[in-house]
Amino acid sequence: MPELPEVETLRRALARELEGCRLKALKIYEPRLLQNTSEQELQQVLIGSRLRAVKRRAKFLLFDFGRHTAILHLRMTGWLALHPIANPRFCFEFVENKTLYLHDTRRLATLYLVPSTRVNKLPPLCKLGIEPFQPSYTFENFIALLQTDQEIKRLLLDQRKIAGIGNIYACEALFASKIHPQRPAKSLSRLEARRLFTQIDKILMRALAEQGTSVRTYRGLMGEPGGFQNFLKVYDRAGKPCVRCRAKIVRIMQSGRGTYFCPHCQK
Ligand SMILES: [Zn+2]
């Protein structure tokens, strides 16, 4: 699933390619994509408008068309392309001879339309927690979130608490911090919390520099893979030796997602 570094990589490419372009036509092929709008409304409101900016909040992409903003969440398997693809879920055609396609095997991606002044009031966005790379991501805010019995790995995936991290980077950050994923969040010492806080930032920054992680489906806007899969230390390595201590990496399920960790050096 695209997480913060992948969505930010896409955002930058979209901004570079499409900002300033005027929408000529749009077609929705997957009605389940639409959360609070219709194909007809999207066409009425957006066609003829210029794409002013492509923004991001956590894993949401915000297409700012001036008075209205279209908000896309790629969920598990969504990805965007500027070249024609088989079975697109939508296509947005611009006057400048560019067309944006959404590909989504599992059909879980979601699209919203809101007046631009109300973007932050939209229910999925207004409920998001603090976010790495944003001013809200301070150590004091982070440690305040940890005062709960919730398992630390589940907490890191809880978008209402910390937005944008996702499964791959939560596993990697816990491994780098030597923290067991099933520890109650409040059992972390201040030092452990500091280590985790710093590692989350460091790992996301590095992944962004590598233009994301392509383990299964993620591709950049031009079809190119990210590079951070080459730096993963624990994610997707069940049964393989830990890079620190050679113990076998274990996979367990938490919040419906596979957690990978080293039972020997993550305490
Ligand atoms: Zn280990």
Side-chain angles (χ1 to χ4, degrees):
M1 151 146 80
E3 304 179 14
L4 195 153
E6 292 78 37
V7 179
E8 177 59 18
T9 301
L10 275 172
R11 187 202 68 75
R12 291 176 182 183
L14 288 163
R16 198 168 55 232
E17 295 293 327
L18 295 177
E19 272 179 14
C21 292
R22 191 179 294 277
L23 194 68
K24 187 165 81 178
L26 76 86
K27 187 85 195 126
I28 305 292
Y29 300 99
E30 173 53 66
R32 275 182 294 179
L33 180 66
L34 305 177
Q35 298 303 299
N36 66 346
T37 183
S38 63
E39 181 182 43
Q40 195 189 13
E41 188 191 25
L42 285 163
Q43 289 169 338
Q44 274 171 2
V45 165
L46 299 182
I47 289 176
S49 301
R50 264 188 206 291
L51 180 59
R52 305 274 181 89
V54 185
K55 304 172 190 169
R56 180 186 60 76
R57 174 76 172 98
K59 304 184 214 174
F60 292 87
L61 283 166
L62 280 49
F63 296 85
D64 177 355
F65 281 95
R67 285 182 63 185
H68 288 84
T69 295
I71 301 177
L72 177 67
H73 196 300
L74 296 166
R75 302 287 161 193
M76 297 298 285
T77 57
W79 53 270
L80 292 164
L82 278 179
H83 52 84
I85 55 166
N87 303 315
R89 303 300 177 208
F90 72 48
C91 65
F92 279 53
E93 200 183 330
F94 293 87
V95 174
E96 291 76 6
N97 268 331
K98 292 180 180 180
T99 305
L100 180 67
Y101 301 89
L102 171 70
H103 187 277
D104 186 19
T105 318
R106 289 181 59 180
R107 304 175 185 220
L108 295 169
T110 47
L111 185 69
Y112 304 81
L113 179 71
V114 282
S116 296
T117 51
R118 297 194 51 84
V119 164
N120 291 320
K121 297 200 169 67
L122 186 72
L125 273 78
C126 67
K127 294 197 174 106
L128 293 171
I130 63 168
E131 182 179 333
F133 307 156
Q134 300 288 324
S136 61
Y137 192 73
T138 63
F139 183 59
E140 290 314 317
N141 282 344
F142 182 74
I143 207 156
L145 290 178
L146 302 185
Q147 305 316 309
T148 157
D149 288 326
Q150 196 177 16
E151 291 173 354
I152 184 62
K153 165 75 186 319
R154 290 178 196 267
L155 185 143
L156 294 181
L157 293 190
D158 187 341
Q159 300 295 304
R160 293 164 304 177
K161 294 182 176 153
I162 308 176
I165 298 181
N167 197 36
I168 296 176
Y169 303 110
C171 291
E172 292 294 319
L174 287 168
F175 178 80
S177 314
K178 301 186 183 178
I179 295 167
H180 194 291
Q182 288 175 308
R183 289 262 304 274
K186 70 177 182 195
S187 76
L188 269 64
S189 69
R190 205 173 162 86
L191 192 69
E192 286 174 320
R194 169 65 75 178
R195 222 156 53 206
L196 182 58
F197 174 78
T198 308
Q199 286 298 335
I200 288 169
D201 204 49
K202 226 171 118 177
I203 286 168
L204 291 175
M205 198 73 93
R206 180 73 199 273
L208 185 56
E210 295 291 334
Q211 307 198 6
T213 305
S214 295
V215 175
R216 291 184 183 87
T217 53
Y218 173 74
R219 286 290 178 274
L221 193 58
M222 305 300 173
E224 75 286 8
F228 194 69
Q229 64 279 8
N230 302 318
F231 299 93
L232 296 176
K233 293 195 168 69
V234 71
Y235 182 79
D236 215 18
R237 298 194 67 247
K240 294 186 180 153
C242 169
V243 294
R244 266 194 309 245
C245 74
R246 314 302 293 168
K248 267 191 184 165
I249 300 297
V250 168
R251 179 178 188 267
I252 56 168
M253 293 303 284
Q254 282 179 299
S255 311
R257 313 293 309 278
T259 296
Y260 299 84
F261 71 102
C262 173
H264 182 71
C265 62
Q266 285 178 258
K267 301 290 185 200

